[in-house]
Amino acid sequence: MRSRQRMFAAVMRLLLKCLRLGQRRRRFKLVRQAEQLWHYGHLCLRSLLYNSFTNGDVVLDSLFEPVYWLVDHVTRWFGVVFVALVIGLTSSIVAIVYICLLPLILQTYTPAWICWHLAYGHWNLIMIVFHYYMAITTSPGHPPQAKDDLTGVSICRKCIAPKPARTHHCSICNRCVLKMDHHCPWLNNCVGHYNHRYFFSFCLFMTMGCIYCSISGWEMFRDAYAAIERMKLLEKERLQVAANQTYYQTPPPTFSFRQRAFHKSVVYLWVLCSSVALALGALTLWHAALITRGETSIERHINKKEKQRLQKKGKIFRNPYSYGSWDNWKVFLGVDVPRHWLTRVLLPSPHLPHGTGLSWDLPRCVMEQRTPLLAI
């Protein structure tokens, strides 16, 4: 009996040892699996974030990616509001000029000055309206989706489509744009190959129009501002007289609603035109400098980094899309013959730019100048 009990106790002890050993093995196996998962996750994270070209700019762009996303979506939804704002402000200035300033010009100026103001003002207005309409309605140009149509192009990593030279992806339009300069919220459209000239011409003529209104209305602005200050002073005196009025005192005369509206409209016109002339004039000069160098806003940053990279190697960077300052302007404006300066620059013209935006061959106007003359 005792021998059976001893045998049973020995078997039970053996089973307990096996169970403990199994539990230890299972724990060790779980620990090993957890360590393997940790190392695998760490390796995947490093493989996703690893980039041999990573620098401070890349890290900063990654940190600001949520801000970029928010700005892109706000710009996309508020583009129509910005366009309506441009049209509303421009229309208000034109209405003030016709209602308030034009009658004064016709009454006080000489016939020669009247002809000048009428001719220049209406020409400038036509150029502004034409180029703004063309800039917002003309597509900037997009590359074809079929890769067979293009040779020697890269692939856009965002839309997985062919990406020709000078083409960039617009995160707001969510597609690639030929010769993209930037996305303009005031146009609710991208500025690219086919509407770049319209955008710059609109900025130029709008700046000229604002400068013209500011210079022409300077004297009227001074008189209107002085009249408004006089209105405020008389209104204050009228309130004081009304508070202490006696039978021997009469309140000072008040200005009519038409007079108040006239003076405030002149002040509003001059302040708005001067502000737009300063802001838009700076933007126009910046784009004029880019056109002179044969670059876009995006290419300016790319070429700057490429120039710094080649300087470290002792090499000189040359922009392959620049043909010289004068030729760059001729190519941008589409001037092939001298008469085009009148018909295509000083008058509204819907002519297409040089090239298709898919390839960048030497323009005809540049080839004719660079072709050597044969000796007779």
Side-chain angles (χ1 to χ4, degrees):
M1 189 70 180
R2 290 183 178 179
S3 61
R4 291 180 179 178
Q5 291 179 352
R6 290 176 181 175
M7 186 178 296
F8 180 75
V11 172
M12 292 301 295
R13 284 195 297 269
L14 182 61
L15 289 174
L16 289 174
K17 288 182 180 180
C18 292
L19 290 174
R20 291 174 182 174
L21 182 61
Q23 290 177 355
R24 290 179 181 177
R25 288 181 177 178
R26 282 197 296 270
R27 290 177 182 175
F28 181 71
K29 188 176 181 180
L30 291 174
V31 172
R32 287 189 61 186
Q33 289 179 351
E35 290 180 353
Q36 289 177 356
L37 288 175
W38 167 258
H39 289 301
Y40 179 74
H42 185 64
L43 179 62
C44 290
L45 185 64
R46 291 189 61 185
S47 64
L48 291 174
L49 298 179
Y50 176 76
N51 187 352
S52 59
F53 298 99
T54 300
N55 52 25
D57 295 337
V58 175
V59 175
L60 192 63
D61 289 341
S62 301
L63 293 176
F64 277 92
E65 189 64 29
V67 180
Y68 298 151
W69 180 87
L70 180 62
V71 171
D72 291 344
H73 282 71
V74 170
T75 305
R76 182 183 306 169
W77 288 107
F78 278 85
V80 179
V81 178
F82 292 148
V83 171
L85 188 62
V86 172
I87 296 175
L89 293 176
T90 306
S91 301
S92 66
I93 295 299
V94 174
I96 292 173
V97 170
Y98 274 102
I99 297 173
C100 299
L101 301 187
L102 187 58
L104 290 178
I105 292 175
L106 296 177
Q107 293 175 5
T108 57
Y109 285 15
T110 61
W113 275 109
I114 292 175
C115 293
W116 154 254
H117 283 290
L118 291 177
Y120 178 81
H122 286 89
W123 169 78
N124 203 344
L125 179 61
I126 291 172
M127 298 298 285
I128 290 173
V129 173
F130 171 79
H131 287 102
Y132 187 69
Y133 174 78
M134 295 299 294
I136 63 178
T137 57
T138 302
S139 173
H142 307 285
Q145 298 298 317
K147 189 176 180 180
D148 298 336
D149 298 339
L150 301 173
T151 57
V153 298
S154 59
I155 301 298
C156 178
R157 62 180 183 179
K158 294 184 178 180
C159 57
I160 315 300
K163 185 180 178 182
R166 309 188 81 178
T167 299
H168 300 280
H169 187 88
C170 176
S171 57
I172 300 175
C173 298
N174 198 24
R175 62 188 307 183
C176 287
V177 177
L178 298 176
K179 192 193 170 186
M180 179 179 175
D181 188 271
H182 69 288
H183 184 95
C184 181
W186 301 103
L187 301 178
N188 194 28
N189 195 9
C190 268
V191 177
H193 178 63
Y194 288 104
N195 65 347
H196 194 181
R197 178 179 65 88
Y198 297 132
F199 165 77
F200 176 79
S201 299
F202 164 72
C203 293
L204 177 62
F205 289 113
M206 179 63 81
T207 303
M208 293 170 56
C210 290
I211 293 175
Y212 163 72
C213 291
S214 299
I215 295 176
S216 301
W218 168 245
E219 294 295 334
M220 297 180 184
F221 165 74
R222 291 178 57 185
D223 296 338
Y225 185 79
I228 291 175
E229 292 297 323
R230 190 164 58 252
M231 288 180 194
K232 294 179 180 179
L233 182 61
L234 292 176
E235 184 68 21
K236 185 177 180 180
E237 292 180 359
R238 190 181 69 83
L239 294 176
Q240 291 177 355
V241 170
N244 302 320
Q245 188 174 8
T246 64
Y247 293 103
Y248 303 101
Q249 291 178 329
T250 57
T254 58
F255 287 87
S256 64
F257 173 79
R258 184 176 181 180
Q259 291 174 329
R260 294 173 182 270
F262 174 82
H263 295 309
K264 291 182 179 180
S265 297
V266 173
V267 173
Y268 163 78
L269 178 143
W270 192 88
V271 172
L272 180 61
C273 289
S274 300
S275 303
V276 173
L278 290 175
L280 194 59
L283 179 65
T284 304
L285 290 176
W286 165 249
H287 279 278
L290 293 176
I291 295 169
T292 304
R293 292 193 292 262
E295 299 174 331
T296 62
S297 299
I298 297 177
E299 292 174 348
R300 171 62 177 166
H301 300 287
I302 297 175
N303 293 344
K304 183 178 180 181
K305 292 183 179 180
E306 186 67 14
K307 183 179 180 181
Q308 293 174 353
R309 186 183 69 85
L310 292 178
Q311 280 182 348
K312 294 179 181 179
K313 297 182 179 181
K315 299 180 180 179
I316 299 176
F317 171 78
R318 181 185 177 277
N319 182 11
Y321 308 112
S322 177
Y323 312 109
S325 301
W326 183 246
D327 288 335
N328 287 336
W329 278 101
K330 292 176 64 177
V331 171
F332 177 79
L333 297 174
V335 176
D336 297 327
V337 293
R339 70 170 182 275
H340 286 168
W341 289 104
L342 174 63
T343 59
R344 293 187 174 184
V345 179
L346 298 180
L347 294 176
S349 175
H351 66 277
L352 296 176
H354 286 289
T356 61
L358 302 176
S359 60
W360 299 97
D361 300 328
L362 200 64
R364 183 169 61 88
C365 61
V366 179
M367 291 177 60
E368 291 178 354
Q369 291 188 2
R370 295 188 177 183
T371 302
L373 297 177
L374 298 176
I376 298 177

